[in-house]
Amino acid sequence: MVKTLADLRVGDEAVVSDVGGDRGVARRLMEMGVLPGTRVRIARVAPLGDPIEIRVRSYSLSIRRAEARGVYVTAEAS
Amino acid sequence: MSESLRTVVLAGNPNAGKTTLFNALTGARARTGNYPGVTVERRVGKVALPQGARVDLVDLPGTYSLTARSPEEQVAVDALLPLAGPPPDAVIVVCDAGALARHLYLALQVLETGLPVVIALNMMDEARAAGIDVDVAQLARELDADVVPVVARSGEGLPELRSALARALTAPARDAYRAPARDGSVALALEGATLRDVEHVEMTIAPMVRRDVDPAHRASMARARALWAILSVGDDELRGVPAAVREAVAEVRGRADAEGRSIDREIIAARYARIDALARDAIRVKASAPKRSVTDRIDAVLTHPVAGLVVFAVVMGALFQALFTWSEPMVGAIEAMVAGAQDVLRTYAPGGPLRDLLVDGVIAGVGNVIVFVPQIALLSLFIAVLEDSGYLARVAFVIDRVMSGVGLHGRAFVPLLSGFACAIPAILATRTIENRKDRLVTMLALPLMSCSARLPVYTLVIAVAFPASATLPGGIAVGAVALLAMYALSVITTLGAAAVLRRTVLRGPKPALVLELPPYRVPVLRNVMLATWDRARTFVIDAGTLILAITIVLWGLLSYPRDGALEARYDAMRAEAEATLEGEALDARVASIDAENAAERMEQSFAGQVGRAIEPVIAPLGFDWKIGVGLIASFAAREVLVSTLGIVYGAGEDTDEENDTLRGELRAARHPDGTRVFTPLVGLSLMVFFVLAAQCMSTFAMVKRESGSWKWPVLMVVYMNTLAYLASLLVFQVGRALGFS
C-alpha cells in the first residue's frame, strides 16, 4: 500500500518518496525542505486532531492532513 | 556630496531574528511605511559603517524563498532582482545557525543573483547550546561570501558584520554562473533537459535586464530571474510579468509535463543537493546534544489535547480581558482629557462658529483618533509578545481546525477575537496573516464581530424597549436573552461572511497551512516596544488624518445650516426665564430650553434633513427619522447613537446609556398616531441593524490603509449595510406579521 504522511502516527519516522498534490502546495513544501529522500518524523498532532507537526531538517513544520496526504513516504520502523 | 545613500537589503526567513538584527543595526530610527500597491510593511533605517559612511538598510518581509505568486511575496523579488529600479548595492541574509539547512535555501537564492552578499549567521549561542558547530570559514569559502556569526539579541558580532558589509560594498558584482566551475561557485548543478529549459527562459529575460547593470553581473541576474520565473509564474496573481516571460515559462512547463518531469522539483532539489553538500562539510552536530529540547518540553504541554486547550483559553481570555478591561482606565482618561479641553475652550474662547468647529469638530475628531490608541497599543504589545515568543504560531496550530472550516487560516483567530473589543486594532492584527486573500477576508468579516462600541447601544435599547419585569419562564430576563442573541448573531454572521467572501470575491484555492513552529524564545523587550510604537504611530498618522477629516464633515452635517431666527427665539426664551425665575427653577427651565433648542437645531441640520429624507426607506424597519439621524451620526462612532438620540428626543446633550431622562424620553416617544416608537420589535430590529451594519468610519479608514485601496472598504460598507438592512427588514416585517409589536 502506498503510504502518505497522513497515515503515520506520532513518533513514526519515514523517508519522503514523492511530493504530489496541488502544484503550489507541493512547491512550497519542497522549498521548506520536504523533498524526496528527506527523512521526516511525526512530532505531534494538534489538540483538535488537525494539523500535524512534523520534524524535518531539524525544525518543526505544521501542515494540515489534507496536505500531508500529498506527501508519499516509505515508512521505517520507529 | 549630492550622491544618494547606498542601499543595502536585509533578507531572511521569518523567525531568523531579522527584526532584532535590523533594530540593532539601525538603532531603530527607522521609517515605516507600506510598499506601493501592497499591504506589506516597509522599514528603512540608516546603518553607520566603520569608516563613518552610512547606508540605507531596507528590511524585507520575512520570506522562505524568492518564489512569489502574489504581489506581497513579489516585494522581496523586486528588491533583489529589479527589472525597473536599480539593484541594491549589497544584501545581508540572516540565517538561523540552528536551522541552517533550511535557511541556506534563501541564502543560496540570493547568492545566485550575483549581488554582493554578507551572511549573518544569527543565534550562534542557541546553536552552540544545541550542540551544533558551524565551520564558518569553510562555509564562507564554499559560498564565496563573508559569513559573520552574530547574536543579534546581545549585539555580539555586530562590529564584524558592519566591517563585512563595508567590504561587500566595495566588492565587484560577481558572475555567479559563468565563472569557471570551482568550489566557490554557487551555480546550480543543472543538467540536460532542466538546463535547456532554464536557458530557454533566460534568453527571453536577458534583454530585459537593465543596461546599467555591471556586464559581469548581467548573466547572473538573468539566470536568477529565469529560475524565479519558472517556479513562480503560471498559477500566480502577479502583475506586470512581461507576456514574453509568461509564454516562455508556459512552453517550458508544457514540455516538462509532456516528458513526465517536474521542473519545480528538479530546481528545488538541485538547491537542496548543494545545501546538503555544504552541510556535510561545514556543520557538525555533537553527540552530546540534548535529546529533548526545551521547546519540545514546552510544546508537550502547550499543544497537549487537554492542557494545550486550557492554556489557549487562558491566554485568549487574558487578551480579551486586556482589550476590554485593562484599556478602560486609559480610554477613560483620554475621553476626560478631550472633554476637559472642550470645556476650557467653551468657557474661555469667544463664542461663534470657529469655536464650535474647534470644540465639536477638531477636538472631538482628535479625540476620536487617540481614543483608539490604548487598545491598539495593548493589542500590538500582546501580539508582539505572542509572536516573538513563538506562541502565536501555536495559536494557529491549535485552532486551525476550527478556522479552516470557514476557509480561514488559524492565524485569523486572534484578530477575530480582538474584534469583540474593537475592529481598529483587530484589523492591524491581521498583519500576522501572510496570505493576502486570507488577510482581506479576515479584515472584511471582522467588523461584524460585536465590538464594545455596540454595547452602549444594546444597553440603552434593551432598557427602553424591554421592561425589566419581562421574563421568560424560569425567570430569565428577556433583555439578557436579547443581548446574548446579539452576540451569537454577530459570531455566526462573521464566520458566515468569511465563508461566503472566501467563495466569491476572494475565491481561490483553499490556502495551504504550511507553518513553521519556531523554537520558544524570550521576547526581546526592545522589539516589542518598537513594534507597539510603530503600530500606534502608523495608525495615528495614516488612519487618524482620515478619521479627523470625516469627524469634521459629520460635525458640519449635524450643526449646519444655522437658523438665526430659531436661535434668536430660544435666546429670547432664555432671557425671559432669567427675568422671571431664579434658583433651581431657573436652572431647570434653562436646561429644558437648551434641550429643545438642540433638538430643533438638529432637526433643521443637514443630518436632520437627510434623516427625514431617508425616513421612507427606514420606516419598513420600524425606524422614524429621529433614529435615522442617529444612524447617520453613528458613522462617527456607533456609541454616538446614544447622545444623538438624547439630542433629537430632547433629553439634552451629554446623555449616556444609563441616563434616566434619556430612557424616560425614549420610552415616552410616540409616533404622530400615538403609538410607541420604541416597541420591543423596533428595539430588536434596531439592535440587529447595529450588529450587522458597517457604520464606524474609523474602520473604513483602517481597511483603506491596510488594504491599500478604496475598493475593499467600499465592498465592506455595501455588503454589511445591505445585510443589516435586509436582516432588520426581516425581523420587523416577520415580527409584525406574527402579531408582535
Side-chain angles (χ1 to χ4, degrees):
Chain A
M1 195 190 90
V2 189
K3 276 203 167 190
T4 71
L5 262 187
D7 301 323
L8 301 182
R9 281 191 306 248
V10 172
D12 285 353
E13 287 199 19
V15 175
V16 176
S17 57
D18 195 8
V19 183
D22 172 72
R23 182 191 161 210
V25 177
R27 182 175 39 203
R28 181 87 197 272
L29 282 172
M30 288 191 289
E31 289 200 312
M32 297 294 280
V34 184
L35 277 160
T38 311
R39 180 179 296 271
V40 294
R41 182 169 58 84
I42 309 294
R44 191 168 279 122
V45 173
L48 301 174
D50 195 17
I52 60 175
E53 179 189 332
I54 60 172
R55 287 288 291 180
V56 53
R57 290 182 194 268
S58 18
Y59 80 99
S60 298
L61 186 68
S62 157
I63 61 174
R64 291 196 185 124
R65 286 186 183 277
E67 282 114 49
R69 276 192 274 276
V71 181
Y72 297 93
V73 294
T74 47
E76 293 184 0
S78 56
Chain B
M1 278 212 315
S2 64
E3 193 192 355
S4 61
L5 283 182
R6 301 222 270 168
T7 305
V8 176
V9 163
L10 182 63
N13 282 194
N15 312 309
K18 217 159 56 66
T19 306
T20 314
L21 187 63
F22 179 86
N23 290 343
L25 281 174
T26 59
R29 284 176 303 275
R31 284 172 285 133
T32 317
N34 262 8
Y35 285 93
V38 291
T39 62
V40 176
E41 195 172 37
R42 179 191 164 91
R43 303 203 308 153
V44 183
K46 298 217 185 311
V47 182
L49 296 182
Q51 259 77 49
R54 273 145 56 97
V55 292
D56 266 337
L57 185 65
V58 180
D59 190 18
L60 287 187
T63 175
Y64 291 108
S65 81
L66 293 186
T67 303
R69 290 196 295 160
S70 72
E72 276 72 15
E73 295 169 327
Q74 185 66 11
V75 162
V77 181
D78 286 339
L80 292 165
L81 291 165
L83 282 179
D89 297 290
V91 187
I92 301 176
V93 184
V94 196
C95 295
D96 178 350
L100 200 51
R102 198 199 66 234
H103 286 240
L104 275 177
Y105 186 85
L106 176 71
L108 216 52
Q109 275 187 304
V110 175
L111 283 163
E112 286 166 12
T113 64
L115 292 166
V117 172
V118 178
I119 292 175
L121 208 52
N122 196 13
M123 301 191 241
M124 282 297 282
D125 51 343
E126 281 182 23
R128 274 179 229 126
I132 298 168
D133 187 30
V134 180
D135 185 340
V136 172
Q138 177 70 18
L139 196 61
R141 230 177 356 258
E142 295 208 21
L143 292 176
D144 193 18
D146 263 329
V147 178
V148 186
V150 297
V151 181
R153 302 166 152 252
S154 65
E156 194 186 319
L158 291 191
E160 291 82 358
L161 184 61
R162 288 173 201 271
S163 304
L165 183 55
R167 276 198 302 279
L169 283 166
T170 54
R174 296 166 310 119
D175 183 346
Y177 287 99
R178 299 300 144 89
R182 60 183 176 92
D183 274 357
S185 153
V186 295
L188 290 184
L190 300 174
E191 284 167 354
T194 315
L195 184 62
R196 176 200 67 199
D197 291 344
V198 172
E199 282 177 341
H200 177 75
V201 177
E202 193 182 327
M203 266 161 49
T204 313
I205 287 179
M208 300 175 189
V209 177
R210 285 163 56 98
R211 296 281 135 217
D212 58 353
V213 167
D214 185 322
H217 184 191
R218 298 179 63 86
S220 306
M221 288 278 274
R223 169 65 64 95
R225 263 276 171 189
L227 289 169
W228 160 80
I230 292 174
L231 286 180
S232 304
V233 176
D235 48 356
D236 62 293
E237 296 169 13
L238 300 172
R239 293 176 291 242
V241 178
V245 174
R246 284 194 182 280
E247 278 165 34
V249 171
E251 188 190 328
V252 159
R253 298 198 71 88
R255 196 159 56 194
D257 285 347
E259 291 167 7
R261 298 182 294 122
S262 161
I263 194 163
D264 289 348
R265 189 211 280 186
E266 286 164 353
I267 293 173
I268 297 169
R271 285 198 182 115
Y272 268 106
R274 185 93 175 87
I275 291 169
D276 288 341
L278 282 168
R280 265 194 303 278
D281 293 348
I283 305 175
R284 306 249 175 292
V285 180
K286 291 198 197 91
S288 64
K291 189 94 182 94
R292 214 158 160 251
S293 68
V294 178
T295 292
D296 262 349
R297 270 174 278 166
I298 298 176
D299 262 343
V301 178
L302 293 191
T303 60
H304 184 272
V306 179
L309 289 176
V310 172
V311 172
F312 176 80
V314 168
V315 173
M316 293 301 118
L319 180 120
F320 201 61
Q321 184 74 6
L323 288 177
F324 253 108
T325 315
W326 301 352
S327 67
E328 195 47 48
M330 285 177 275
V331 170
I334 288 171
E335 283 172 346
M337 265 167 46
V338 171
Q342 289 175 320
D343 278 348
V344 167
L345 260 184
R346 267 202 204 101
T347 312
Y348 297 106
L354 180 65
R355 187 188 71 179
D356 289 349
L357 169 68
L358 283 177
V359 172
D360 297 319
V362 178
I363 297 181
V366 170
N368 275 348
V369 175
I370 57 175
V371 80
F372 291 116
V373 170
Q375 282 185 331
I376 287 177
L378 260 176
L379 183 58
S380 302
L381 191 81
F382 242 97
I383 287 178
V385 169
L386 290 181
E387 186 151 40
D388 272 21
S389 67
Y391 190 66
L392 198 62
R394 271 73 183 187
V395 168
F397 181 67
V398 167
I399 206 70
D400 181 74
R401 175 76 189 267
V402 175
M403 304 305 291
S404 66
V406 289
L408 285 175
H409 192 285
R411 289 204 174 215
F413 186 82
V414 167
L416 287 183
L417 180 76
S418 313
F420 270 129
C422 178
I424 305 297
I427 288 168
L428 266 176
T430 61
R431 286 188 183 181
T432 58
I433 303 169
E434 293 164 35
N435 180 292
R436 175 172 146 271
K437 281 187 175 171
D438 281 355
R439 194 174 170 217
L440 279 172
V441 168
T442 313
M443 220 186 276
L444 294 182
L446 76 79
L448 285 166
M449 290 300 265
S450 194
C451 67
S452 55
R454 283 149 161 130
L455 197 51
V457 177
Y458 304 152
T459 312
L460 175 76
V461 173
I462 287 174
V464 171
F466 300 97
S469 56
T471 53
L472 292 173
I476 306 160
V478 170
V481 175
L483 187 61
L484 194 65
M486 292 310 124
Y487 276 88
L489 175 67
S490 126
V491 173
I492 292 165
T493 45
T494 306
L495 298 180
V500 170
L501 286 168
R502 220 2 167 161
R503 283 163 184 75
T504 53
V505 274
L506 290 161
R507 188 172 43 231
K510 190 170 165 185
L513 179 88
V514 179
L515 177 76
E516 183 187 0
L517 299 175
Y520 288 103
R521 295 192 175 105
V522 178
V524 181
L525 180 68
R526 203 169 123 95
N527 288 353
V528 171
M529 297 322 277
L530 277 170
T532 307
W533 165 247
D534 263 358
R535 300 261 154 111
R537 194 185 51 176
T538 307
F539 166 77
V540 169
I541 294 170
D542 293 356
T545 40
L546 196 53
I547 296 171
L548 176 63
I550 305 178
T551 308
I552 293 172
V553 170
L554 266 176
W555 163 81
L557 288 177
L558 286 161
S559 328
Y560 283 89
R562 286 280 168 96
D563 181 349
L566 177 118
E567 300 299 324
R569 184 154 51 85
Y570 279 100
D571 281 344
M573 283 164 72
R574 277 189 204 96
E576 189 200 322
E578 274 164 25
T580 57
L581 298 168
E582 60 186 29
E584 282 182 23
L586 173 64
D587 290 344
R589 178 79 187 120
V590 170
S592 129
I593 294 170
D594 284 348
E596 271 177 55
N597 187 359
E600 203 165 329
R601 192 188 296 146
M602 187 168 283
E603 182 175 353
Q604 298 194 349
S605 71
F606 292 117
Q609 294 171 23
V610 175
R612 282 198 180 282
I614 64 171
E615 193 169 27
V617 180
I618 58 176
L621 313 184
F623 306 161
D624 68 355
W625 71 268
K626 291 181 179 178
I627 298 178
V629 178
L631 295 184
I632 294 160
S634 302
F635 280 97
R638 288 186 175 88
E639 67 273 21
V640 170
L641 176 83
V642 173
S643 55
T644 311
L645 287 182
I647 295 171
V648 279
Y649 279 103
E653 300 177 60
D654 301 326
T655 50
D656 66 25
E657 68 275 15
E658 308 285 345
N659 184 296
D660 285 331
T661 318
L662 173 60
R663 290 180 175 190
E665 291 283 351
L666 295 186
R667 278 196 203 106
R670 292 284 185 276
H671 288 295
D673 62 4
T675 55
R676 269 183 77 194
V677 174
F678 286 92
T679 62
L681 190 58
V682 171
L684 203 58
S685 169
L686 186 58
M687 283 194 292
V688 166
F689 191 88
F690 264 75
V691 170
L692 303 176
Q695 295 177 299
C696 169
M697 54 156 187
S698 310
T699 305
F700 313 158
M702 206 63 211
V703 173
K704 153 77 175 67
R705 202 236 161 238
E706 290 295 304
S707 67
S709 120
W710 276 109
K711 182 171 128 192
W712 301 109
V714 167
L715 172 72
M716 183 183 84
V717 171
V718 170
Y719 101 80
M720 281 180 68
N721 288 343
T722 308
L723 196 62
Y725 187 88
L726 294 177
S728 281
L729 186 71
L730 191 75
V731 166
F732 188 71
Q733 295 301 337
V734 171
R736 230 173 32 168
L738 293 176
F740 291 99
S741 62

